[in-house]
Amino acid sequence: MKLFRCDQIRNIDEYTVANEPVSSAALMERAAQQLFFRIREKYDKSSRFVIFAGPGNNGGDGLALARMLSAGGYDVAVYSVDLPGKKSNDRELNRLRLENETSLKLIYIRESNPLPLLLPGEIVIDAIFGSGLTRAAEGFLSEIISFINKSGCEIISVDIPSGLFGEDNSKNLDGTIIEADFTLSFQFPKISFMFAENLKYSGEYAVLPIGLHEDAIRNTKSRYSFLEKKDIKPILRVRLRIDHKGVFGHGLLIAGSYGKIGASVMAAGAALRSGIGLLTCNIPACGYQIVQTSVPEAMVITDAVTNFISSAIDTELYSSVGVGPGLGIDPKTQKALFDLLNSCKKPMVIDADALNILSIHKEWLSLIPAGSILTPHPKEFERIAGSSSNGFERIEMQLKFSLDHNCIVILKGSNSSISTPGGQLFFNSTGNPGMATGGSGDVLTGIILSLLAQGYSSEEAAIAGVFLHGMAGDIAVGKNSFESLLASDIINNIGNAFNEVRSI
């Protein structure tokens, strides 16, 4: 699914009105019907709704919804946030329909009037401002938003929480944004929903199809996409009956140090569960028995030093190389990574302590082989690329880093983002909070190493690897709980993730 800036979404709306053809009022009616259908699925008629409608089209959506809820037998109160200036035409059309077709009384909220009483158990529908807002709410508007947030009521936002910008919120103000429990977004998620700091505003969100014109969606260019199962299925390769292990590559995993051999075990297990033909683990000597016992399917080469990797081995015979899990940052390990970067010209998966070493020696970033895949979490990314004030600024830095160093960056977290040297950025839709556990990142490294070994392109390996990793975690947590999820549970469900993707 493409993700668009809010100005692009408005253009797609206008194209739909002009070319479907459908009137803007009919498009608003279509959107309100989708809101009504979703609310009817979730709430019975004992629920009482309080709708706050602003002066623009978002308010028009709210007024149309109020009419439908009333006709559906729901208990509804409707408040119009009365602000100076012109009301949108479609909003006013729906005000007239509300007054003429229902017995609901539209109550006006003005700066000079006291705010209404909200009772426990009422459900607030926030339809004050949509995605067109370009500056922080202030004054009377800020008071209304604060009042709703402090009411203790469940809050549903229409399209986007009022006060939240659709992309960059670096100039927004805390306390001036609705903190929704649920957001019902039209046609696409908003880009700002992808960033962890905005979760307290969007809450859980659902995307409601409103029939925007497919030609406009297809022909509108965007650097942002949201990964779904239908995007991953065509990437996955089908095995033939005549295939053998030599077809699926031989990967080299360079990992582990004293006390962190488990990282090697996790990454190796994930690589083997993801279809690699052969896997060799280059580990310090202290991990030999552990890896041979825990992952007997893998081959092992031990370093001359007992507790850490001290030298780089020849990578020429291997289809793919992964480095970093549990590696440590001993000075000899740093030198070994330098030698590896100088000698290996094929794309690598670079993770964990390999990234930390690069943050110590930023001049080595120029040695990263073209097409390599870096898998930092936000702190690791900050160490190699610099600090950022919010999620939007961070992904802009991520895109620039990928371009500057001709590599793919997977920025791990909620809605992990994948940037390419070509300027595209993909947000992942799978994964859950239970995956915030030690070893989860090592599993991702193993999956991607495996896919690279099998001949997937760097972009394919990164995109499919992140999605399958999250899907395996989602399947695993369905059998456990967020709290009990282990990295090994993710490994054990990688096969189920492949099956789930292929099932559509």
Side-chain angles (χ1 to χ4, degrees):
M1 181 193 297
K2 287 182 180 178
L3 298 182
F4 297 105
R5 300 187 313 270
C6 291
D7 63 308
Q8 291 178 305
I9 295 173
R10 284 192 291 277
N11 291 339
I12 293 170
D13 283 346
E14 291 170 2
Y15 185 96
T16 302
V17 169
N19 292 275
E20 187 169 334
V22 61
S23 69
S24 58
L27 189 60
M28 182 175 287
E29 187 77 1
R30 190 186 294 174
Q33 284 176 339
Q34 289 298 319
L35 292 170
F36 173 69
F37 295 154
R38 183 56 64 98
I39 288 171
R40 187 177 61 184
E41 288 176 5
K42 185 175 175 61
Y43 301 96
D44 60 33
K45 293 180 183 177
S46 66
S47 304
R48 174 174 166 78
F49 294 91
V50 181
I51 298 177
F52 289 82
N57 284 342
N58 194 253
D61 295 326
L63 295 175
L65 174 62
R67 167 170 42 83
M68 294 175 191
L69 286 170
S70 178
Y74 286 89
D75 186 4
V76 186
V78 194
Y79 293 93
S80 173
V81 180
D82 199 25
L83 299 172
K86 188 177 181 295
K87 312 291 191 295
S88 81
N89 292 334
D90 292 335
R91 191 261 191 204
E92 287 301 280
L93 176 64
N94 275 289
R95 176 185 64 80
L96 292 171
R97 289 194 64 183
L98 183 76
E99 293 172 347
N100 294 332
E101 298 176 26
T102 75
S103 59
L104 293 176
K105 180 181 179 182
L106 185 61
I107 305 168
Y108 288 86
I109 302 176
R110 297 183 173 92
E111 190 168 3
S112 57
N113 296 346
L115 293 171
L117 178 66
L118 291 176
L119 301 175
E122 292 182 327
I123 301 164
V124 171
I125 305 288
D126 156 40
I128 302 172
F129 284 119
S131 58
L133 198 66
T134 57
R135 64 179 184 179
E138 56 187 7
F140 176 49
L141 288 175
S142 178
E143 289 178 23
I144 294 174
I145 288 170
S146 178
F147 165 74
I148 292 173
N149 286 341
K150 293 176 181 177
S151 67
C153 295
E154 186 175 314
I155 304 171
I156 302 172
S157 284
V158 172
D159 197 34
I160 189 171
S162 291
L164 185 68
F165 303 152
E167 297 88 41
D168 183 4
N169 281 271
S170 58
K171 296 182 180 179
N172 215 332
L173 300 175
D174 195 26
T176 63
I177 304 170
I178 287 289
E179 296 173 8
D181 296 286
F182 304 97
T183 299
L184 300 177
S185 186
F186 297 137
Q187 198 74 37
F188 319 98
K190 304 302 180 284
I191 292 169
S192 58
F193 295 178
M194 301 294 111
F195 308 128
E197 68 266 22
N198 294 330
L199 179 62
K200 68 177 181 179
Y201 305 122
S202 65
E204 294 182 30
Y205 69 85
V207 177
L208 305 183
I210 60 171
L212 296 184
H213 205 290
E214 286 298 326
D215 286 349
I217 294 171
R218 183 170 51 254
N219 295 330
T220 302
K221 293 182 179 180
S222 176
R223 68 198 310 186
Y224 309 110
S225 298
F226 189 61
L227 295 175
E228 300 176 296
K229 279 196 288 188
K230 65 181 176 61
D231 303 309
I232 307 305
K233 184 177 179 179
I235 295 175
L236 300 185
R237 299 182 179 185
V238 177
R239 295 197 169 199
L240 305 176
R241 290 180 61 191
I242 60 172
D243 286 338
H244 53 86
K245 64 186 178 184
V247 174
F248 303 115
H250 187 173
L252 174 66
L253 174 65
I254 306 167
S257 59
Y258 183 79
K260 298 179 182 177
I261 298 300
S264 311
V265 173
M266 293 293 105
L272 290 161
R273 286 289 185 187
S274 303
I276 197 168
L278 293 166
L279 177 68
T280 293
C281 299
N282 179 203
I283 59 173
C286 66
Y288 178 75
Q289 287 186 324
I290 298 170
V291 174
Q292 289 277 257
T293 304
S294 302
V295 197
E297 298 88 351
M299 295 174 283
V300 175
I301 297 174
T302 57
D303 193 90
V305 171
T306 301
N307 290 339
F308 52 82
I309 295 292
S310 65
S311 60
I313 67 171
D314 186 3
T315 62
E316 187 63 31
L317 297 177
Y318 300 98
S319 311
S320 64
V321 178
V323 59
L327 197 64
I329 58 170
D330 186 273
K332 289 185 178 179
T333 305
Q334 296 180 36
K335 175 63 165 54
L337 179 63
F338 176 75
D339 292 340
L340 176 69
L341 292 170
N342 271 300
S343 62
C344 182
K345 302 307 176 186
K346 63 193 67 175
M348 293 194 292
V349 188
I350 303 175
D351 183 33
D353 281 330
L355 294 170
N356 290 328
I357 292 171
L358 286 173
S359 73
I360 297 170
H361 303 282
K362 290 189 176 65
E363 67 277 12
W364 296 357
L365 292 172
S366 62
L367 302 176
I368 296 172
S372 289
I373 302 168
L374 281 61
T375 62
H377 57 58
K379 275 296 180 185
E380 288 168 342
F381 183 70
E382 182 177 310
R383 292 184 197 121
I384 61 171
S387 60
S388 54
S389 62
N390 61 42
F392 187 81
E393 184 179 325
R394 190 180 299 117
I395 64 167
E396 293 296 300
M397 292 174 63
Q398 181 184 352
L399 283 160
K400 185 176 186 302
F401 190 96
S402 284
L403 175 63
D404 291 346
H405 299 286
N406 195 19
C407 67
I408 291 172
V409 177
I410 298 170
L411 187 55
K412 296 182 290 193
S414 174
N415 295 122
S416 293
S417 54
I418 305 157
S419 57
T420 73
Q424 290 298 116
L425 190 131
F426 303 87
F427 291 102
N428 188 38
S429 62
T430 59
N432 62 77
M435 297 175 72
T437 187
S440 180
D442 305 323
V443 173
L444 177 62
T445 295
I447 295 172
I448 297 171
L449 171 65
S450 176
L451 295 176
L452 280 178
Q454 293 171 66
Y456 288 80
S457 71
S458 295
E459 185 172 317
E460 289 172 337
I463 289 171
V466 169
F467 191 91
L468 289 165
H469 178 252
M471 178 67 72
D474 289 342
I475 295 169
V477 86
K479 304 172 185 177
N480 296 280
S481 68
F482 292 147
E483 294 82 2
S484 68
L485 193 70
L486 298 176
S488 55
D489 298 326
I490 303 172
I491 295 171
N492 292 334
N493 283 281
I494 291 172
N496 293 327
F498 273 91
N499 289 337
E500 178 67 23
V501 170
R502 288 193 170 112
S503 69
I504 61 171

